[in-house]
Amino acid sequence: MATDPARRAAVLVLRSAAAGLTATTGAVHLALWADGYRDLATIGSLFLLNGVLGCLLAVALLLTPYRRLAPLAAVTALFTAGTLGALFLSLTTGLFGFQESVDAELVRPTIVVEAVDVLVLTVLAAVALSHRHRIPDPPSSRPGSARKAGHR
């Protein structure tokens, strides 16, 4: 099992990577919205909403206390997976009357970034959850605990 400093370092790396990837997907949606997607019915509003929520979730991943990190990472993973699913729908059957092309400039990088983000967020949620549910040693089994509690 990893030591606490090693676990903290791993969580910091995972948290930072997840926040960066989530911010990237949010920024891509905001950039595409500004570049003309805002003029598309329904899709335009969804791109704006996705961009704003992605950026807010990225900040939340950095600022959330550790005890709340697992649920936030899980929710963010589901959000990103939903975004990726919507992209695949728009590439195949279309979404809200909009058909995306795999040859569009940011489609392939977005698929990679969002897929990696889902993976990193899932690992982060699992690591944070497993640490959160670790059962501490009972006070009587810790060295020196009997003296601290007034027992001799």
Side-chain angles (χ1 to χ4, degrees):
M1 186 155 136
T3 63
D4 280 342
R7 182 182 289 273
R8 278 193 293 258
V11 168
L12 180 61
V13 168
L14 288 167
R15 183 189 283 236
S16 300
L21 291 163
T22 302
T24 299
T25 64
V28 164
H29 281 86
L30 290 174
L32 289 171
W33 178 83
D35 283 346
Y37 280 55
R38 68 176 168 255
D39 297 327
L40 300 172
T42 308
I43 295 293
S45 299
L46 292 174
F47 264 67
L48 179 60
L49 180 63
N50 189 292
V52 170
L53 286 176
C55 292
L56 290 174
L57 287 168
V59 171
L61 284 165
L62 293 174
L63 300 179
T64 295
Y66 186 82
R67 69 185 177 279
R68 294 191 178 122
L69 185 57
L72 176 63
V75 165
T76 306
L78 291 172
F79 172 78
T80 305
T83 300
L84 186 58
L87 175 56
F88 280 121
L89 276 175
S90 73
L91 287 168
T92 55
T93 62
L95 184 64
F96 299 111
F98 178 72
Q99 182 83 35
E100 184 63 87
S101 168
V102 75
D103 296 323
E105 182 180 354
L106 294 175
V107 168
R108 288 184 178 120
T110 298
I111 291 170
V112 172
V113 169
E114 289 179 353
V116 171
D117 195 21
V118 170
L119 177 65
V120 170
L121 286 161
T122 302
V123 171
L124 176 60
V127 168
L129 187 63
S130 70
H131 181 67
R132 193 173 82 172
H133 289 295
R134 211 173 73 192
I135 300 170
D137 297 330
S140 62
S141 68
R142 290 186 210 133
S145 62
R147 277 184 257 122
K148 289 179 186 173
H151 299 95
R152 295 183 184 233

